[in-house]
Every structure is written in C-alpha cells, then in structure tokens.
Amino acid sequence: MEEREGFIVAIGCRKCGKCENICPNGALYRINGFVNVDHEKCDLCMECVKTCPNKALVYME
Ligand code: SF4
Ligand code: SF4
C-alpha cells in the first residue's frame, strides 16, 4: 500500500454506528456515541471513510 501522511478526523458524526466494527486496527472509539479516531492505531486504510454514510470521517492531509 502506498505510504500516506495525514490523519482521519470525525466531523459531524451522527452516531449511526455503521462504522462500529469496520476498523481493522481498532482505532475507532466512541464517546457519548460520537466517533473518535485513535491516531496512534490508525494506518489510514480508508475503510471507515468509505463506510460512513454521513461523510463524517474525513481524510485530512
Ligand atoms: S482509516 Fe482505517 S485504520 Fe484508520 S480509523 Fe479508519 S478504518 Fe481504522
Ligand atoms: S458511520 Fe459516520 S455517522 Fe455513523 S457512527 Fe460512524 S462516523 Fe458517526
């Protein structure tokens, strides 16, 4: 896989839960239902970005 820099941020999460088990690295966690990203665990595979129906998970360079 190509090397990526940057990180994933959650903006405007609607707590739908669709990304719940999608992260292969366990980098997604929820606080009061809102999704957050553990940048230490995230390897930028983009699975969550593709999955979120609300486009709340965004790749920032
Ligand atoms: S980009 Fe991949 S590794 Fe990073 S939080 Fe999303 S699903 Fe997990
Ligand atoms: S799929 Fe998107 S809107 Fe739904 S819980 Fe995950 S980040 Fe939030």
Side-chain angles (χ1 to χ4, degrees):
M1 191 164 71
E2 97 193 60
E3 249 342 271
R4 285 201 174 94
E5 291 179 22
F7 47 91
I8 307 294
V9 291
I11 305 167
C13 171
R14 294 191 191 170
K15 308 186 189 178
C16 73
K18 295 221 167 75
C19 63
E20 189 88 64
N21 297 307
I22 207 79
C23 180
N25 300 308
L28 297 177
Y29 62 100
R30 298 173 86 180
I31 297 174
N32 296 330
F34 291 106
V35 164
N36 286 267
V37 184
D38 182 338
H39 301 298
E40 297 287 316
K41 292 182 181 170
C42 175
D43 68 0
L44 302 173
C45 74
M46 304 307 230
E47 278 308 309
C48 61
V49 174
K50 286 185 244 165
T51 298
C52 177
N54 301 307
K55 295 188 166 47
L57 292 162
V58 182
Y59 173 60
M60 306 276 288
E61 283 185 89

